[in-house]
Amino acid sequence: MTTPRPRALVTGASRGIGAAIARALAPTHDVLLGGRDARSLEALARELPGSAGPWVADLADPEGLARATADINRLDVLVHNAAVAEPGTIADSSLDAWQRVFAVNLFSAAELTRLLLPSLRRSRGHVVLINAGSGLQIKSHRGPYAASKYALRALAEALQAEEGPNGVRVTSVHPGPTDTELQRSAAERAGRAYRPEQFLRPESVAAVVLNAIRTPADATVSRAVID
Ligand SMILES: NC(=O)c1ccc[n+]([C@@H]2O[C@H](COP(=O)([O-])OP(=O)(O)OC[C@H]3O[C@@H](n4cnc5c(N)ncnc54)[C@H](OP(=O)(O)O)[C@@H]3O)[C@@H](O)[C@H]2O)c1
């Protein structure tokens, strides 16, 4: 009997950094492509080697998460990549806005991790959390986003402390500004010209993630900062 290829779930795989991570993993992993739009995920799955397929779920809906993970009983790599970056400062963010940001950027990562931990413990798997520069030091005026990324770093460190002894590895990845839709729309909102060459490439962030996952099992890349 042949050993199945390792399996990875990447949230927010429909575009940007998540799609680049899915492409980087696909030659060696069967990748579940997370997102809300089945058609765009199916189109990406057709381009990838191995048995990649859509994993459709709205991360802001906790009951949907339970349904969407019910059939996953084998998992080696979980990449929490999806996020929303609402532009508001603390002065102009309503409680609703805080809740929208935290629902996707933090609560879904905690809940998805909890639901998939039995599989990750069995495989002595790896959880990668795509954070940001603002999860380490706050420079921009986006209070809720930055607070969610600080909390995501706390989640990563707590998970490493709790699950490291069970063989689960945890990596917190902190990219600088990267050429994706998120930056393009921020520039548009601010009325700034957008120059992709001034940003990191999503493929470069994906290469760092792949290196962390490929690191031999006796070592853990606990934090990767990308400038
Ligand atoms: N771009 C940057 O400059 C930068 C810098 C540092 C860190 N990061 C971090 O890198 C990660 C990816 O960023 P990106 O720039 O690639 O973002 P992006 O282009 O805006 O893509 C966001 C992804 O998240 C998914 N998503 C958003 N809300 C969702 C929800 N409720 N349920 C399910 N999926 C949802 C989107 O899927 P749909 O297709 O369903 O909308 C999309 O695939 C984020 O964690 C971000 O904070 C980005």
Side-chain angles (χ1 to χ4, degrees), residues 12-18 34-37 57-60 81-84 104 130-133 145 149 175-178 180-183:
S14 60
R15 58 175 184 266
I17 294 171
R36 287 170 295 184
D37 176 19
D58 181 348
L59 295 173
N81 164 78
V84 289
V104 176
I130 306 300
N131 202 301
Y145 177 73
K149 291 298 191 181
T178 306
T180 71
E181 197 48 49
L182 187 151
Q183 288 293 346

Side-chain angles (χ1 to χ4, degrees), residues 86 88-101 144:
E86 296 212 5
T89 61
I90 294 167
D92 58 26
S93 295
S94 65
L95 182 57
D96 266 5
W98 278 87
Q99 282 167 342
R100 277 197 304 276
V101 171

Side-chain angles (χ1 to χ4, degrees), residues 140 152 227:
S140 67
L152 189 69
D227 295 313

